[in-house]
Amino acid sequence: MSDLILYELQGCPYCAKVKNKLAELDLEYESQMVPSAHAERTEVEEVSGQTGVPVLVDEEHGVEGMPESDDIVDYLEETYGSAA
């Protein structure tokens, strides 16, 4: 099981951006699909404090719920880019 968990929504372009970076860095992750209705996204709200996606959890590095695709891509590049 991976330490990386990505909360995402089918067809979300911001989620796709993060998934492309994960693939580029050859990182394994667990995908958690969220409901399309924001009111039903209780799990992602619990980890990140908001209902938007994508949200990344990186247990190994103590990231408990990072929102915003640009921030996630930058984080992945900084944390895992040099190791790839």
Side-chain angles (χ1 to χ4, degrees):
M1 189 173 139
S2 173
D3 289 327
L4 295 172
I5 302 169
L6 179 65
Y7 291 86
E8 61 175 313
L9 179 66
Q10 186 75 33
C12 165
Y14 303 105
C15 300
K17 180 178 181 178
V18 172
K19 291 170 67 169
N20 288 340
K21 178 55 69 174
L22 287 162
E24 178 186 313
L25 296 172
D26 199 26
L27 295 171
E28 289 186 16
Y29 66 97
E30 180 183 331
S31 173
Q32 290 287 332
M33 288 300 200
V34 301
S36 57
H38 281 261
E40 297 175 14
R41 296 181 187 175
T42 53
E43 187 177 359
V44 74
E45 189 172 15
E46 286 173 14
V47 298
S48 68
Q50 49 92 52
T51 57
V53 289
V55 167
L56 181 75
V57 174
D58 184 353
E59 294 172 353
E60 182 181 346
H61 292 94
V63 175
E64 295 180 0
M66 179 184 291
E68 299 299 329
S69 59
D70 288 338
D71 293 343
I72 295 171
V73 166
D74 290 345
Y75 167 78
L76 291 170
E77 190 65 53
E78 290 169 15
T79 306
Y80 297 100
S82 59

